[in-house]
Amino acid sequence: MQGIHVTVLCGILMSLTGWTSAQHRQQDWYETTLEYQIYPRSFKDSDGDGTGDIKGIIEKLDYLADLGVETIWLQPFYKSPMRDNGYDVSDFRAPDPMFGSMDDVKNMIRAIKERGMKLVIDFVVNHSSDEHEWFKLSEQGVEPYKDYYIWNDGKKINETHSEVPNNWVSIFEGSAWTWSPIRKQYYYHAFAIKQPDLNFRNPKLREEINNLMRFWMDLGVDGFRVDAAKWLFEATHLLDEPIRPGRRHTWFGMDHIYTLSQPESFDLAREWRMTMEEQKKKDGVTKLLSIEEFGTADYLVKYMGNSTHPGAQMPFNFHFKMLTYEATPARIAQIIRDWQKFLPEGGVFNWAAESHDRPRLPTRMGPEAADSWNMLQILLPGILNVYYGMELGMEDCYIRPDQRKDAIGRNEDDPTTRDTSRTPMMWDDTKNAGFSTAEKTWLPVHPNYFQKNVKSQLADPHSHLNTFKRLVKLRKTPIIKLGRLDTYVLREWVFMYTRILENETVLVIVNLGTETEKICAKNIARDLPDSMTVHTPSFNSRFKIGDKVTLTSTGGQSCSELRPKAGLVLTNTPAVPEPAVSSSAALNHFICLIVLAVGISILAPGIL
Ligand SMILES: *[C@@H]1O[C@H](CO)[C@@H](O)[C@H](O)[C@H]1NC(C)=O
Ligand SMILES: *[C@@H]1O[C@H](CO)[C@@H](O)[C@H](O)[C@H]1NC(C)=O
Ligand SMILES: *[C@@H]1O[C@H](CO)[C@@H](O)[C@H](O)[C@H]1NC(C)=O
Ligand SMILES: CC(=O)N[C@H]1CO[C@H](CO)[C@@H](O)[C@@H]1O
Ligand SMILES: [Ca+2]
Ligand SMILES: [Ca+2]
């Protein structure tokens, strides 16, 4: 703990004085942060009701700190009637009792800070629940709430009747307009009837949302993640949306040119960032704005703004999440190069290969590829988002229709449910994987928990978890934080990249195919040495830490071979690297302590 405090103090000191290391630009905390995504229902149940909660998260913070997590992203925990898994918020300023009390939230924030970690929370402001106070007051026409939502008279048919304003449909059910008998107008809802959309064209509502951000930042929250930002604005002209030729008048049959991805959402991102920059002036800590919208890199970077008008530092990069075992190294290299090409100056990369909306990596790629994909992600530059359980190689779990909770795929004709990747975290081999003492958990625990759990993997030096931790340690060294990145397609199914800083090289090489492959890396990256040392092998690679790997077949040597789905992290440092604390980090610490001591003696001479 002491070390953490010194680091935190030094971080503050360095950012206050603008002091940077002689060699490298000082990076802000978010630029390389390892963010761990917690789905609160599924992480840890503290009270035995079968559902994860805030106290459960507090219990497991030491585990996360030990894992090397720097930022926690907590998915919705707000008060909600839970018609859409908590994405229908009835109070944006309080947790749902299912998850705990406001005191629990405050304790959690304090406990996160004590461990030197940051907290980012989900911000679900496309709509509220119709049970939210704002909606009830809006329905009654009470100011300032009157225009917090999108109201419309509809098309008048005769004296007593009107019909919906246009052909817009909701993704969940029928028309996107629902009649309020109280207000005698229609309100717009892109999702369920119980999820009226907020009106971001109303300055009063926008200020209300800015205040909401201030409320959470004052409590210690370090950032917000805004999911599905393409839903934030709708065109004001209310023209009908085109139905695609030969398709039906349903959400999936239409082109959503007026209800999705309106350009105003970029302005809104900049407005939110301004609110967050104001807060930074108060406490000196940069806040992280993360915006999710599916799109190509050139489109998503628009959310980042520019140096005078900054926007979201993290427009969520979805591209790895969509890949399956069919994704070729050429495709992976292209994703990385697109981001390299479009990233604005001063912008940072972000990566995420799993989420609560997609099947987990080992399910999409094959369980043998778990370590390889962790190598691939963890050693890239920028922000990395890790979905809980990824460190264990957790797989999707079959969920029978009678067990489903997701609003999508709840009925039997619709096989798509996202519940399969939302099952409880697996802590040990006791009942319910140590997640809960309940008879029945909210979703079933994956039956493989007796093998794949934190406790057993911590005890096994070759487990996914220990490999993950080793990679995370390497991630925190200067070469991964600052080194240059070059990607290569070595063979049709072998992907590799190098990270180079001064005279040091890290080579990540993964075989994503189904055959054993020769890895003659020097053929395409000529500056590489003839052979390198294994820093981290995947569990299925047959290599050990410290082994030599030959990368060329010149001079009577023969290139090493890599098994299907196996991966290696290689270095050019001869001895087995000890990435824990580099000497320059130790020196920084030392200088900081001196500066700190001098600072204290100047500010408070009485103490020393
Ligand atoms: C108005 O239109 C509605 C719906 O078509 C119809 O049921 C109703 O009888 C009409 N009322 C009058 C006064 O014409
Ligand atoms: C930065 O973005 C703002 C807002 O879009 C724009 O007005 C301004 O011209 C941009 N500045 C530069 C240097 O591109
Ligand atoms: C890199 O240079 C440093 C300083 O000259 C030296 O100590 C170190 O051994 C070199 N490392 C490699 C991998 O060559
Ligand atoms: C920006 C925002 O709040 N988007 C939300 C819109 O609604 C869907 C469905 O509830 C959520 O998943 C998004 O987070
Ligand atoms: Ca609980
Ligand atoms: Ca909207």
Side-chain angles (χ1 to χ4, degrees):
M1 287 307 282
Q2 210 108 60
I4 291 172
H5 287 312
V6 170
T7 309
V8 171
L9 278 173
C10 284
I12 293 171
L13 205 67
M14 284 193 270
S15 58
L16 284 179
T17 57
W19 182 82
T20 54
S21 122
Q23 279 176 308
H24 310 297
R25 185 174 72 83
Q26 183 68 39
Q27 287 173 311
D28 207 339
W29 69 267
Y30 70 85
E31 295 184 54
T32 58
T33 198
L34 180 72
E35 180 177 82
Y36 190 92
Q37 175 182 353
I38 295 182
Y39 197 74
R41 285 187 170 205
S42 289
F43 198 57
K44 175 73 174 107
D45 173 21
S46 72
D47 59 1
D49 66 355
T51 300
D53 45 50
I54 306 273
K55 280 190 176 142
I57 293 171
I58 299 174
E59 275 176 40
K60 295 299 182 184
L61 289 178
D62 285 331
Y63 164 74
L64 295 179
D66 180 56
L67 192 59
V69 169
E70 294 154 313
T71 301
I72 292 170
W73 157 25
L74 187 58
Q75 293 200 251
F77 56 92
Y78 304 106
K79 192 157 191 289
S80 163
M82 299 287 167
R83 299 301 159 86
D84 185 17
N85 264 338
Y87 280 86
D88 47 330
V89 178
S90 56
D91 187 347
F92 289 106
R93 293 176 187 237
D96 195 86
M98 169 202 280
F99 297 124
S101 66
M102 200 60 192
D103 280 337
D104 295 337
V105 172
K106 289 178 183 164
N107 289 338
M108 175 186 69
I109 294 174
R110 187 175 334 115
I112 288 173
K113 298 281 140 115
E114 277 168 11
R115 287 161 181 81
M117 295 190 278
K118 300 276 194 291
L119 175 64
V120 169
I121 59 173
D122 242 289
F123 207 53
V124 196
V125 290
N126 177 57
H127 47 241
S128 72
S129 162
D130 65 346
E131 296 176 31
H132 197 291
E133 191 72 359
W134 299 342
F135 186 74
K136 293 182 190 159
L137 293 166
S138 188
E139 218 176 8
Q140 290 159 20
V142 177
E143 287 292 3
Y145 307 100
K146 189 164 170 272
D147 294 320
Y148 271 28
Y149 297 83
I150 301 164
W151 292 101
N152 193 279
D153 289 336
K155 286 186 195 150
K156 217 169 168 62
I157 314 177
N158 58 31
E159 285 313 302
T160 53
H161 282 71
S162 66
E163 59 182 32
V164 294
N166 58 24
N167 77 346
W168 297 357
V169 291
S170 107
I171 186 164
F172 286 159
E173 49 214 323
S175 172
W177 299 95
T178 290
W179 179 256
S180 159
I182 298 173
R183 175 139 164 173
K184 306 218 180 324
Q185 274 189 314
Y186 290 97
Y187 65 87
Y188 175 75
H189 55 89
F191 292 86
I193 288 171
K194 288 185 65 65
Q195 291 168 298
D197 274 51
L198 289 165
N199 176 12
F200 277 96
R201 295 185 191 276
N202 176 358
K204 289 180 198 160
L205 181 271
R206 281 162 85 133
E207 192 49 18
E208 179 85 61
I209 299 297
N210 285 327
N211 283 335
L212 190 59
M213 286 186 148
R214 293 181 186 114
F215 169 82
W216 286 107
M217 290 189 291
D218 283 341
L219 283 174
V221 163
D222 303 287
F224 300 96
R225 184 261 188 182
V226 182
D227 183 29
K230 67 179 176 188
W231 302 93
L232 286 168
F233 284 90
E234 299 75 27
T236 48
H237 54 57
L238 302 188
L239 293 175
D240 279 356
E241 287 190 324
I243 300 170
R244 298 199 190 122
R247 300 291 297 274
R248 289 188 303 130
H249 180 198
T250 64
W251 195 86
F252 292 98
M254 298 171 80
D255 279 327
H256 299 287
I257 51 177
Y258 302 137
T259 55
L260 289 183
S261 303
Q262 303 298 299
E264 290 86 347
S265 47
F266 303 125
D267 305 330
L268 188 56
R270 287 196 296 270
E271 180 176 322
W272 284 340
R273 180 68 186 279
M274 262 167 60
T275 306
M276 297 167 87
E277 288 293 306
E278 278 165 29
Q279 190 79 13
K280 180 183 176 179
K281 288 189 193 131
K282 286 197 213 165
D283 60 18
V285 182
T286 306
K287 307 293 181 282
L288 177 62
L289 179 58
S290 153
I291 296 251
E292 190 207 70
E293 169 165 357
F294 190 73
T296 50
D298 58 327
Y299 177 78
L300 291 178
V301 296
K302 292 187 192 171
Y303 275 113
M304 299 178 108
N306 57 34
S307 54
T308 53
H309 294 72
Q313 301 101 316
M314 184 179 176
F316 232 80
N317 167 2
F318 255 88
H319 299 102
F320 284 172
K321 256 168 60 172
M322 306 311 288
L323 302 180
T324 67
Y325 66 96
E326 293 176 332
T328 58
R331 172 74 189 121
I332 295 167
Q334 187 205 347
I335 290 173
I336 296 174
R337 288 172 195 161
D338 273 355
W339 280 88
Q340 284 178 311
K341 184 167 155 202
F342 293 111
L343 207 63
E345 206 186 326
V348 295
F349 297 98
N350 75 82
W351 313 101
E354 283 193 349
S355 86
H356 59 294
D357 285 333
R358 293 278 301 146
R360 289 176 175 273
L361 263 179
T363 302
R364 287 166 14 229
M365 304 288 176
E368 298 77 18
D371 287 347
S372 297
W373 263 92
N374 284 344
M375 290 170 180
L376 204 162
Q377 303 175 71
I378 293 172
L379 302 178
L380 285 172
I383 303 170
L384 176 66
N385 189 73
V386 168
Y387 186 48
Y388 78 96
M390 196 176 94
E391 68 274 29
L392 304 177
M394 248 175 101
E395 293 165 66
D396 274 33
C397 177
Y398 289 113
I399 308 287
R400 294 188 311 258
D402 64 291
Q403 296 171 312
R404 290 184 193 160
K405 297 291 190 303
D406 190 5
I408 297 177
R410 210 184 273 163
N411 73 46
E412 289 185 39
D413 334 319
D414 182 357
T416 56
T417 172
R418 297 166 298 179
D419 289 334
T420 55
S421 62
R422 298 175 178 179
T423 59
M425 178 68 177
M426 305 189 288
W427 297 103
D428 57 37
D429 64 2
T430 63
K431 183 175 165 185
N432 298 326
F435 161 71
S436 170
T437 55
E439 276 313 306
K440 197 172 164 189
T441 54
W442 84 284
L443 280 177
V445 175
H446 198 299
N448 69 9
Y449 77 88
F450 70 97
Q451 290 172 322
K452 268 196 181 179
N453 61 66
V454 170
K455 191 166 172 225
S456 69
Q457 290 205 18
L458 279 177
D460 170 7
H462 306 295
S463 65
H464 299 309
L465 179 55
N466 279 319
T467 299
F468 184 98
K469 286 175 73 171
R470 189 172 167 82
L471 293 168
V472 168
K473 275 201 182 126
L474 179 59
R475 175 182 169 82
K476 296 186 181 189
T477 60
I479 185 164
I480 304 302
K481 282 179 178 280
L482 300 157
R484 64 170 280 164
L485 166 71
D486 292 290
T487 56
Y488 302 88
V489 176
L490 179 56
R491 296 173 67 80
E492 190 186 358
W493 287 101
V494 182
F495 175 69
M496 69 178 216
Y497 65 84
T498 51
R499 303 299 312 275
I500 295 175
L501 187 68
E502 289 149 20
N503 61 352
E504 276 183 58
T505 302
V506 166
L507 173 65
V508 177
I509 182 159
V510 294
N511 178 2
L512 301 172
T514 47
E515 286 80 32
T516 294
E517 298 274 7
K518 277 205 179 343
I519 47 170
C520 303
K522 203 174 153 74
N523 287 356
I524 54 166
R526 301 201 180 275
D527 292 339
L528 287 175
D530 286 358
S531 70
M532 292 179 80
T533 310
V534 174
H535 174 281
T536 307
S538 68
F539 75 113
N540 52 341
S541 73
R542 97 182 159 75
F543 288 95
K544 299 186 304 297
I545 294 171
D547 280 355
K548 276 261 172 289
V549 171
T550 307
L551 303 175
T552 179
S553 38
T554 54
Q557 312 172 82
S558 180
C559 297
S560 299
E561 291 188 333
L562 194 55
R563 284 180 180 158
K565 310 291 178 198
L568 293 172
V569 175
L570 307 174
T571 63
N572 64 343
T573 13
V576 178
E578 254 317 325
V581 177
S582 74
S583 57
S584 73
L587 184 66
N588 284 358
H589 252 87
F590 181 66
I591 293 172
C592 262
L593 281 173
I594 292 175
V595 175
L596 210 64
V598 172
I600 290 172
S601 62
I602 292 168
L603 293 172
I607 297 177
L608 292 184

